[in-house]
Amino acid sequence: MRNSLFSLILSLFFVAIALPVQATANAVQKNIELKHNEIETDLKNGENESAYYKSLALHQSKNLVGTFWLGWMYHEGLFVQKDLEKAAQYLFKAAKIDENYIPTGNVEAAYYYAALFALDQKSKYYNMALALKFLVACQEIGHKEATYLLGRTSLRLSLNENAKDPDFLREKAVESLRKASALGKVEANYFLYKLELEEAEKGSISSLTTIGKLTEAVNKKNEFQGFAANDMALLYKNGRYVSRDLKKYISLLKKSANLGYGLGALNLGKAYLAGVLADPDYEAARFYLEFASKYDEKLKRAAEHSLEVLQHQENMEKLARSFQPTLEQIDNFLTAQNFSNLRSSRDSGASKSNAGVLSIDSASSYQNGYPRIVRFTRTGDEIRGSDGSRFRLRNNTLRSSKGSRYTINGNRIRGSNGVTYKIRGNTIRGSDGTRCRTSGRTTRCY
Amino acid sequence: MFIALIPAKVFSDEKQLIEKFGSFFFAKIAYSDLKDLETVGYTIGMVKYCPTVSSTDYGTFIENIHNWLKVTATVFENPKDYEGFLNKRYYFKLKSIVDNSISVGEGDGYILRRSWDYKNKKCPNALSTPSIFSGPRASDLRRIIER
């Protein structure tokens, strides 16, 4: 009983002490946040001078928020001249490391020092181990950007050929990216999707759980929105992990290209060239392919190759569109005569003129009951008869200089004078009783 | 105009071409000259009345040439893609050229159908060129997406 009473009194004592201490700490934290926000607002509004003096005052009163902002302003060259040395020093000071090099001061300062200096290989402050320590410390506090950066850095290190334990680094990367995603960093979603896709490609998993995350990366504004849209488009095109949908494929590629992503533009150009949804649209394809070729050196070659294909394809289609059939009925009538051993220019040795023997007008040349032999020679569209008659060919109509017309339809010839002729082999039969037969070099009508 | 029944030279070694480059590449080379395409159509039309060609055979010949045209008018987004998209606009234009020449060939074949030369020289000559009368590979046709 006495013991329990003692413990109650003790706990009340601790509570009595802890409450004011907690209240004081909260008040200090709130004050720091207020100051931080105040300077940030000033900088956003372009009031750099005011922000600088406020930061300086805070820094002189040993407030690390002021030190951080001074570092930031030296880095960006706001009100003061840009000075990376000073910027690094202020940020490092604001981060306030302990004996184990773990930052205990301003979180933002620790993050920016790691991001801007410790991770920059060109910087003289490059120190990967320190950067990782800073980022891990920030991640433990729940700093969104630092968590994401830690994930990406771990991922980059795991891909390094000299990495000692790439699997461990990869695990850590996934862990950090998941945390960043949970904190609302949309870019982390895209990386989580890429990592899972890689696993799926290897065959270690059969379905993707990060499609929703990818969709979020496509729909929300972020650094990798164009990349995500392109990747999502390819998923819809291939019909893997999602049902195939070519309309979505094109609309997502359009989104990716319109966000200025070169690979998206290249894919969209190719899609327009192939005619995924409708027949090829060469103008649109050319526009996006030219954009892609200017976007990136790596894409230039692929885009230029596609432009060559486009040019060839467009030319072929133009040729087909403007192609005039060379085979006409009347020509083939003459050809048919050649085939059927009627006399032709080939037999007589004339190579260039399209000659043949026509017996069409023989009936009209049939006089006084005597057969008359007429030889017809064709030059271009003109046919000259040995009896002085002339004919002109237009499509399947033969016009004679005497005014009569003959329409050729298959093996039938209809004259404007009402007489019809039928060709059968090397014989032409007229409805008026005319019979013409070709034998060797002569055509006889009777 | 004299039209030979001997098809264009590109058809002479078509089997090697198909084996080497695939039907799609072959078709694009073979039908790049539209006059050759006309010749092929005309030749097919001409054989309609050959004694050894049944109406079913003839229908198959026409289907085969139409399939070749589909292969010709198919565009692949990427060379490694399994599926390609049919450019219908181009396909129908090529088809109209071929169909026109087929009808011309049919007309001429009808005129000549009873001649000795046609039955004993032209028909065997034309039919001995299998490239015109055999279609593209079925596996290649399955790769074409017709919207």
Side-chain angles (χ1 to χ4, degrees):
Chain A
M1 181 70 187
R2 191 177 284 176
N3 278 345
S4 63
L5 192 66
F6 177 74
S7 61
L8 181 69
I9 291 166
L10 196 68
S11 58
L12 281 171
F13 173 74
F14 276 120
V15 168
I17 289 177
L19 276 175
V21 170
Q22 184 65 41
T24 317
N26 284 346
V28 169
Q29 184 62 32
K30 205 171 180 182
N31 190 33
I32 288 169
E33 276 177 21
L34 275 174
K35 292 283 179 193
H36 181 86
N37 293 342
E38 207 176 299
I39 295 168
E40 195 175 12
T41 314
D42 280 355
L43 287 172
K44 272 183 187 169
N45 295 337
E47 294 164 6
N48 298 341
E49 189 179 351
S50 159
Y52 174 76
Y53 285 116
K54 278 178 189 173
S55 305
L56 191 65
L58 283 171
H59 169 65
Q60 282 166 353
S61 63
K62 295 190 177 175
N63 188 328
L64 296 176
V65 169
T67 316
F68 160 68
W69 279 118
L70 278 179
W72 177 253
M73 289 170 89
Y74 272 109
H75 183 268
E76 296 295 308
L78 300 169
F79 185 66
V80 289
Q81 201 170 0
K82 191 170 180 169
D83 189 338
L84 295 180
E85 292 281 325
K86 278 188 179 176
Q89 283 164 13
Y90 277 117
L91 286 175
F92 190 73
K93 201 171 181 183
K96 197 182 177 184
I97 54 165
D98 63 9
E99 66 276 9
N100 295 322
Y101 292 94
I102 291 169
T104 55
N106 189 287
V107 185
E108 293 291 330
Y111 165 67
Y112 280 108
Y113 182 80
L116 301 173
F117 297 101
L119 283 176
D120 184 6
Q121 288 183 341
K122 289 174 189 168
S123 168
K124 73 171 185 179
Y125 298 101
Y126 173 70
N127 187 337
M128 181 58 81
L130 189 71
L132 289 175
K133 273 189 180 178
F134 274 33
L135 290 175
V136 168
C138 293
Q139 180 181 271
E140 279 168 11
I141 295 164
H143 193 284
K144 186 169 76 176
E145 299 295 335
T147 312
Y148 168 64
L149 185 60
L150 180 63
R152 279 193 67 179
T153 310
S154 308
L155 190 62
R156 185 158 57 86
L157 290 173
S158 75
L159 296 172
N160 195 330
E161 285 175 3
N162 303 325
K164 283 179 185 172
D165 194 352
D167 293 338
F168 171 76
L169 285 168
R170 196 182 170 88
E171 263 177 43
K172 287 289 166 194
V174 172
E175 193 186 314
S176 296
L177 288 169
R178 278 193 187 137
K179 277 184 186 170
S181 172
L183 287 167
K185 187 72 183 169
V186 187
E187 283 88 343
N189 290 344
Y190 176 67
F191 282 95
L192 283 171
Y193 158 75
K194 289 295 265 186
L195 287 167
E196 200 182 25
L197 183 70
E198 211 175 290
E199 292 293 319
E201 297 291 322
K202 281 179 191 168
S204 45
I205 50 171
S206 58
S207 63
L208 294 180
T209 56
T210 48
I211 300 282
K213 287 191 185 296
L214 183 67
T215 314
E216 201 184 337
V218 171
N219 295 330
K220 283 186 182 173
K221 195 176 178 185
N222 67 85
E223 194 186 342
F224 294 103
Q225 200 177 4
F227 293 69
N230 182 57
D231 282 31
M232 192 83 185
L234 294 177
L235 282 185
Y236 276 116
K237 184 203 168 189
N238 298 326
R240 291 180 69 190
Y241 313 114
V242 290
S243 55
R244 192 173 196 189
D245 190 335
L246 292 175
K247 278 186 185 171
K248 281 187 181 171
Y249 167 60
I250 295 294
S251 70
L252 283 165
L253 282 184
K254 270 184 194 169
K255 187 170 190 171
S256 176
N258 292 339
L259 282 164
Y261 180 46
L263 189 59
L266 178 69
N267 286 336
L268 184 62
K270 283 181 179 177
Y272 274 127
L273 178 59
V276 173
L277 289 182
D279 283 334
D281 182 345
Y282 297 121
E283 283 305 307
R286 189 174 282 114
F287 175 79
Y288 285 107
L289 290 173
E290 279 175 358
F291 171 79
S293 73
K294 286 171 192 165
Y295 177 84
D296 193 348
E297 273 299 312
K298 287 177 192 168
L299 298 179
K300 195 176 180 180
R301 206 171 156 191
E304 281 178 354
H305 173 72
S306 295
L307 280 168
E308 279 173 23
V309 173
L310 183 150
Q311 196 60 48
H312 175 73
Q313 204 174 303
E314 196 178 18
N315 287 345
M316 290 302 292
E317 217 173 302
K318 266 184 195 170
L319 270 177
R321 219 180 301 141
S322 59
F323 183 75
Q324 293 295 322
T326 53
L327 299 176
E328 288 174 11
Q329 206 69 35
I330 189 70
D331 287 340
N332 291 294
F333 172 66
L334 296 172
T335 309
Q337 289 185 78
N338 283 335
F339 277 127
S340 56
N341 292 330
L342 289 171
R343 187 178 173 197
S344 72
S345 59
R346 287 159 63 82
D347 299 328
S348 58
S351 58
K352 284 188 178 176
S353 68
N354 292 317
V357 176
L358 279 172
S359 305
I360 296 165
D361 233 7
S362 300
S364 59
S365 309
Y366 184 64
Q367 291 169 357
N368 305 325
Y370 293 101
R372 186 176 167 190
I373 302 162
V374 183
R375 184 174 179 272
F376 295 92
T377 311
R378 184 182 170 202
T379 312
D381 288 342
E382 205 176 347
I383 295 173
R384 285 169 184 270
S386 58
D387 59 345
S389 58
R390 282 183 173 196
F391 297 86
R392 187 172 282 279
L393 296 172
R394 189 160 290 171
N395 296 327
N396 60 343
T397 310
L398 196 61
R399 283 173 190 270
S400 87
S401 56
K402 292 173 186 171
S404 50
R405 283 191 312 180
Y406 299 91
T407 313
I408 301 159
N409 187 10
N411 63 338
R412 289 175 185 275
I413 301 167
R414 186 181 289 278
S416 57
N417 53 4
V419 184
T420 55
Y421 301 91
K422 196 170 181 183
I423 307 161
R424 187 173 279 186
N426 54 0
T427 309
I428 296 175
R429 292 175 183 224
S431 60
D432 58 349
T434 314
R435 297 285 183 274
C436 297
R437 191 172 174 81
T438 306
S439 173
R441 290 172 175 263
T442 55
T443 301
R444 287 177 185 278
C445 296
Y446 50 90
Chain B
M1 181 184 173
F2 182 81
I3 297 165
L5 276 175
I6 303 158
K9 61 179 177 184
V10 286
F11 295 101
S12 58
D13 53 355
E14 101 287 354
K15 275 187 182 171
Q16 290 157 4
L17 264 175
I18 290 174
E19 277 164 18
K20 201 171 179 184
F21 303 109
S23 304
F24 291 92
F25 188 77
F26 162 71
K28 284 190 199 309
I29 293 175
Y31 299 113
S32 59
D33 191 341
L34 298 171
K35 281 186 181 172
D36 285 347
L37 194 62
E38 256 195 335
T39 312
V40 171
Y42 181 81
T43 312
I44 287 172
M46 262 287 200
V47 300
K48 186 180 181 182
Y49 299 99
C50 286
T52 53
V53 175
S54 68
S55 59
T56 319
D57 290 341
Y58 185 64
T60 313
F61 295 160
I62 292 180
E63 196 187 333
N64 285 341
I65 186 72
H66 287 166
N67 283 340
W68 272 119
L69 296 184
K70 274 186 187 172
V71 168
T72 312
T74 298
V75 193
F76 288 86
E77 269 186 274
N78 296 302
K80 287 179 185 173
D81 278 1
Y82 177 74
E83 288 170 326
F85 297 91
L86 178 70
N87 179 356
K88 280 191 179 174
R89 189 175 54 204
Y90 186 41
Y91 167 66
F92 284 121
K93 188 64 217 174
L94 293 179
K95 192 168 171 275
S96 75
I97 292 170
V98 164
D99 287 349
N100 179 56
S101 56
I102 285 175
S103 67
V104 172
E106 277 178 6
D108 289 355
Y110 184 79
I111 296 167
L112 301 170
R113 70 191 188 284
R114 287 184 187 156
S115 71
W116 184 92
D117 200 40
Y118 176 75
K119 287 177 189 171
N120 297 294
K121 281 188 180 173
K122 310 303 177 197
C123 282
N125 190 17
L127 291 167
S128 66
T129 321
S131 54
I132 303 173
F133 305 107
S134 59
R137 290 184 295 210
S139 59
D140 283 339
L141 285 175
R142 280 198 294 275
R143 295 171 64 188
I144 302 171
I145 298 176
E146 291 181 47
R147 293 172 304 273

